[in-house]
């Protein structure tokens, strides 16, 4: 027997694994608060869980190990799916036929891609293999896929090679998903490689749209991507908290809030 490989993990460690599977990433600080223990205790748990290949250690938190988190992405696709579809419809209404655009990775941007299928003659750069597959059904779309590292869990292409490819272009619209937005208007994400690619794409886009469902307001992502002052519009499914709304208004960012889903027959309004 080697190390603790033969022993069972604790109930708290089981809960940590479940939490990370639900979120895709969790910070040490958030987990320490959730479980009522010290940050050092959570660090020790993460070290043990990473040794068992149940989690992967990152600076400041833990994520799912490579190759093990495909289910997590599938789960995120269906979570808040109706809200993401309503957000996507608003974005699609702002994109004219024949436009050039960059489409970021993420489940909300994937919903945007589905809403754009009815457009004509779009010229698209994306690092999302799922979006490429979807858009290839439209023979009048020009679709460019950069090189780089392919990440199993979400079919994303990321890394420095991806950023280098993007620097060759200029597009009319950049559509970005983020992991969270904080009360000071900072747009945050989980993986530094994704942030690097998204940051480059922001630099080459004339208009920058951010899509975010309301569950991510004040979320626990910790990698800084940008500030709302650097974007043109934010699309979401519910009015943001007052602090975020104030930041958007202060920096003249257009706010698009999706109308609520119509009540089904027999349901109370």
């Amino acid at each position: 027997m080697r190390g603790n490989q033969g022993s069972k993990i604790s109930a708290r460690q089981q809960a940590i694994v479940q939490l990370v599977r639900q979120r895709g990433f969790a910070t040490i600080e958030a987990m320490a608060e959730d479980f009522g223990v010290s940050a050092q205790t959570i660090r020790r748990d993460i070290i043990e869980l990473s040794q068992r290949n149940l989690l992967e250690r990152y600076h400041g938190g833990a994520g799912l190990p490579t190759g093990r988190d495909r289910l997590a992405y599938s789960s995120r696709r269906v979570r808040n799916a109706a809200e993401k579809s309503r957000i996507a419809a608003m974005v699609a209404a702002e994109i004219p036929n024949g436009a050039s655009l960059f489409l970021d990775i993420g489940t909300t941007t994937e919903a945007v891609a589905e809403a754009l299928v009815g457009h004509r003659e779009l010229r698209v750069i994306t690092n999302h293999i799922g979006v490429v597959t979807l858009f290839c059904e439209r023979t009048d779309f020009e679709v460019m896929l950069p090189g780089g590292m392919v990440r199993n869990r979400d079919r994303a292409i990321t890394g420095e090679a991806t950023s280098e490819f993007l620097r060759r272009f200029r597009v009319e619209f950049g559509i970005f998903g983020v992991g969270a937005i904080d009360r000071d208007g900072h747009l945050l994400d989980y993986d530094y490689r994704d942030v690097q690619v998204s940051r480059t794409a922001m630099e080459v886009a004339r208009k920058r749209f951010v899509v975010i469902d309301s569950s991510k307001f004040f979320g626990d992502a910790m990698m800084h991507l940008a500030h709302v002052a650097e974007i043109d519009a934010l699309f979401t499914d519910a009015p943001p908290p007052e602090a975020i709304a104030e930041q958007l208004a202060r920096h003249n960012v257009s706010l698009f809030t999706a109308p609520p889903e119509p009540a089904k027959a027999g349901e109370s309004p």
Side-chain angles (χ1 to χ4, degrees), residues 163 166-167 169-171 176 196-206 208 230:
S163 295
L166 293 174
R167 290 189 180 100
F169 298 91
R170 291 293 182 271
V171 295
F176 303 91
Q196 180 185 38
V197 172
S198 297
R199 184 71 231 175
T200 302
M202 282 191 168
E203 293 170 3
V204 304
R206 296 186 183 94
R208 303 158 182 171
E230 300 174 70

Side-chain angles (χ1 to χ4, degrees), residues 31 73 86-87 99 145 217:
M31 288 187 283
Y73 185 77
R86 298 202 305 275
I87 293 169
L145 181 68
F217 294 145

Side-chain angles (χ1 to χ4, degrees), residues 145-238:
L145 181 68
M149 184 191 74
V150 179
R151 190 167 55 210
N152 293 358
R153 71 171 183 262
D154 54 4
R155 296 178 291 174
I157 298 178
T158 190
E160 180 58 33
T162 312
S163 295
E164 285 298 325
F165 179 88
L166 293 174
R167 290 189 180 100
R168 306 173 190 173
F169 298 91
R170 291 293 182 271
V171 295
E172 295 172 73
F173 300 93
I175 303 171
F176 303 91
V178 296
I181 178 171
D182 70 12
R183 64 180 60 255
D184 295 320
H186 297 288
L187 304 171
L188 308 167
D189 219 328
Y190 294 107
D191 191 309
Y192 73 93
R193 294 165 298 188
D194 297 344
V195 167
Q196 180 185 38
V197 172
S198 297
R199 184 71 231 175
T200 302
M202 282 191 168
E203 293 170 3
V204 304
R206 296 186 183 94
K207 288 189 177 180
R208 303 158 182 171
F209 294 169
V210 166
V211 293
I212 182 171
D213 72 77
S214 55
S215 69
K216 296 179 179 178
F217 294 145
F218 303 152
D220 65 353
M222 60 180 292
M223 292 287 180
H224 181 264
L225 167 61
H227 190 271
V228 294
E230 300 174 70
I231 68 173
D232 296 282
L234 185 138
F235 297 76
T236 188
D237 61 288

Side-chain angles (χ1 to χ4, degrees), residues 14 20 29 38 85 93 124 195 221 243 252:
Q14 290 176 353
V20 173
E29 289 78 7
S38 68
S85 293
V124 182
V195 167
N252 298 315

